[in-house]
Amino acid sequence: MASNGHQGDDESIDEGETPTKQPRSDREMPGCFRNEPDNEAASPAGRATSQRQTSNSTARLRSDSVKKTRPPFPWFGMDIGGTLVKLVYFEPKDITAEEEQEEVENLKSIRRYLTSNIAYGKTGIRDVHLELQDLTLCGRKGNLHFIRFPTHDLPAFLQMARSKHFSSLHTTLCATGGGAYKFEADFRTMADLQLHKLDELDCLIRGVLYIDSVVSSGPSECYYFENPTDPERCIQKPYTLENPYPLLLVNIGSGVSILAVYSETNYKRVTGTSLGGGTFLGLCCLLTGCSSFEEALAMASEGESTKVDKLVRDIYGGDYESFGNMVSKEKRETVSKEDLARATLVSITNNIGSITRMCALNENIERVVFVGNFLRVNTLSMKLLAYAMDYWSKGQLKALFLQHEGYFGAVGALLELLHPS
């Protein structure tokens, strides 16, 4: 496996299938060793002793096999997007006294740094509310942490990796996203690390299915908005994503990819558009002078898009025309930056909703799941998408959303580290 520079060729992992839907009470990561209960019937003392010895010997052999094949810590998965880098880190919580004594200082330093902070520098954030506790991955119990920072700050991350001598623990990182190709040379020259580049859509699907299978407490991973056409009665409700196929998976990041998913291994990219979160942020920076996604959203929440958009009913009696009012000099002089941000958000979101609706019709799919970092802290767009799906389909299409939004690609990369496919 290319993702671990300290692992020999004879130590490759054969158990590489994407985890299937597990019972919600079972938080064990499929594919690695788990202890099975001993269901042997009672027998005479001699035979029982012999069986116990055989059973214990077998268990030790199986346990030793897992220890031999799983990669050394730390365990990471990365998704390097056009706007954000998403990092998933598994923190082991079952470290034995012997392991702690043998653990190198570099590894301790990385673990302390990542888990004792919720902010890294000026822009790195650990999303504490998304942390998944008491998971079992490859026979190890621990917590899964979700960290993000802007892609333009990747050099600072690489400098941190170099200062903490990360390459002494791993020579290769599992990464997906366009940035895994764009910044490959930077990882090599700045941090002495190789990137094991993974297919973005494979990681996305794998991550979605795994996270949905292990979330069993706290807020439901999947949810929808009830009464999306009525702003006063619109509320968020949990949704159980059982027997999910077929579904349309809409990944909204800097751009948009739309996938038709028919089973765990049968899916295709239907279409996409370059008009996504990157377009929204870029236009808002030009039109309002804002400098961050959060600032653009804050402006949009205070604005009124109808001051910018021309309602087509003003001409024919229906729908709307994005930015149509900006043809008028008088109206340009009265519009605020908040109105421009709101109109930009509505235009991008409605375009995504319209394309999604057409894809759902063409593929004859009635379940649509929206993911991606464009939806992070962006309830406004989620409600717009829910409204659009409900309105255009006359109630036949339900827009579904997931709590971990933009981290699924990074989760898929982590799973590839542990269970190469």
Side-chain angles (χ1 to χ4, degrees):
M1 171 181 170
S3 57
N4 175 14
H6 299 283
Q7 186 173 20
D9 293 338
D10 61 333
E11 296 179 352
S12 60
I13 303 174
D14 293 326
E15 305 133 358
E17 294 302 317
T18 303
T20 55
K21 184 78 172 182
Q22 300 294 311
R24 291 191 172 266
S25 61
D26 186 356
R27 297 167 73 86
E28 170 77 26
M29 171 66 195
C32 275
F33 166 73
R34 75 178 78 180
N35 292 321
E36 301 291 347
D38 185 2
N39 292 322
E40 293 289 335
S43 57
R47 188 189 307 171
T49 301
S50 175
Q51 287 177 338
R52 281 196 300 271
Q53 290 173 341
T54 302
S55 176
N56 291 339
S57 176
T58 302
R60 280 195 300 271
L61 287 172
R62 293 171 67 190
S63 181
D64 289 344
S65 175
V66 172
K67 290 179 182 177
K68 184 179 180 182
T69 57
R70 66 189 174 205
F73 292 123
W75 293 351
F76 286 104
M78 292 187 75
D79 180 1
I80 311 172
T83 305
L84 277 180
V85 176
K86 286 77 66 180
L87 181 72
V88 173
Y89 167 65
F90 179 79
E91 174 200 9
K93 301 295 286 185
D94 58 353
I95 298 174
T96 65
E98 182 183 1
E99 284 178 319
E100 189 169 5
Q101 199 170 26
E102 295 176 353
E103 196 174 49
V104 297
E105 188 57 39
N106 292 350
L107 185 56
K108 293 178 183 177
S109 174
I110 289 172
R111 185 169 66 248
R112 282 196 301 265
Y113 177 71
L114 291 177
T115 60
S116 63
N117 294 291
I118 60 172
Y120 314 93
K122 294 182 179 179
T123 56
I125 298 292
R126 178 161 61 93
D127 286 314
V128 180
H129 66 288
L130 295 179
E131 180 181 335
L132 295 178
Q133 298 183 340
D134 300 323
L135 288 182
T136 301
L137 283 172
C138 270
R140 299 304 301 259
K141 289 187 179 295
N143 301 337
L144 204 57
H145 298 274
F146 299 86
I147 300 166
R148 57 181 162 85
F149 57 89
T151 304
H152 61 71
D153 284 336
L154 186 61
F157 169 80
L158 294 177
Q159 185 58 46
M160 183 275 291
R162 174 182 280 277
S163 68
K164 293 189 178 296
H165 307 286
F166 188 90
S167 61
S168 68
L169 304 169
H170 281 277
T171 59
T172 304
L173 284 177
C174 281
T176 188
Y181 294 86
K182 182 178 180 180
F183 300 108
E184 183 177 17
D186 294 332
F187 273 82
R188 188 167 54 250
T189 58
M190 296 178 67
D192 196 24
L193 290 168
Q194 299 292 329
L195 289 183
H196 180 41
K197 301 182 293 295
L198 303 168
D199 182 84
E200 193 168 0
L201 302 185
D202 288 346
C203 288
L204 174 65
I205 298 288
R206 199 172 181 184
V208 167
L209 295 177
Y210 174 69
I211 292 294
D212 184 63
S213 74
V214 298
V215 173
S216 59
S217 61
S220 171
E221 177 65 24
C222 187
Y223 62 95
Y224 69 99
F225 288 95
E226 192 175 71
N227 304 313
T229 58
D230 186 345
E232 294 184 358
R233 296 172 57 232
C234 181
I235 56 173
Q236 182 177 316
K237 303 276 283 186
Y239 185 91
T240 302
L241 197 62
E242 293 179 344
N243 302 316
Y245 312 113
L247 65 85
L248 207 65
L249 187 61
V250 184
N251 187 28
I252 314 174
S254 297
V256 182
S257 287
I258 302 179
L259 289 78
V261 185
Y262 300 102
S263 74
E264 189 176 306
T265 56
N266 179 19
Y267 55 89
K268 65 179 181 179
R269 186 178 189 272
V270 179
T271 189
T273 173
S274 61
L275 305 182
T279 311
F280 165 67
L281 180 56
L283 287 176
C284 279
C285 289
L286 282 172
L287 294 170
T288 71
C290 71
S291 57
S292 70
F293 183 70
E294 289 80 5
E295 188 180 356
L297 282 181
M299 283 185 170
S301 66
E302 299 295 326
E304 177 55 66
S305 64
T306 54
K307 293 181 180 179
V308 179
D309 300 334
K310 176 177 287 186
L311 301 181
V312 179
R313 67 166 176 263
D314 296 339
I315 311 171
Y316 298 111
D319 240 345
Y320 79 102
E321 177 185 321
S322 295
F323 284 82
N325 277 339
M326 295 301 92
V327 174
S328 166
K329 181 181 179 181
E330 291 77 13
K331 291 185 177 180
R332 285 201 302 272
E333 292 173 346
T334 61
V335 76
S336 69
K337 290 182 178 180
E338 289 78 11
D339 296 334
L340 290 170
R342 179 65 166 254
T344 304
L345 186 69
V346 170
S347 297
I348 296 297
T349 304
N350 279 344
N351 184 60
I352 295 170
S354 177
I355 295 172
T356 300
R357 165 64 177 154
M358 288 188 290
C359 291
L361 278 175
N362 291 339
E363 298 295 325
N364 194 28
I365 293 176
E366 295 184 354
R367 182 176 288 152
V368 180
V369 179
F370 292 93
V371 298
N373 266 302
F374 176 67
L375 301 176
R376 181 176 56 83
V377 298
N378 189 1
T379 306
L380 185 56
S381 281
M382 287 191 278
K383 289 183 178 180
L384 282 170
L385 288 168
Y387 175 89
M389 294 297 100
D390 183 82
Y391 178 80
W392 286 328
S393 69
K394 295 181 172 58
Q396 295 301 305
L397 272 182
K398 186 184 294 293
L400 303 175
F401 305 94
L402 300 176
Q403 299 284 354
H404 286 83
E405 293 153 347
Y407 282 107
F408 298 109
V411 172
L414 172 65
L415 296 180
E416 180 65 21
L417 168 71
L418 305 177
H419 306 268
S421 54

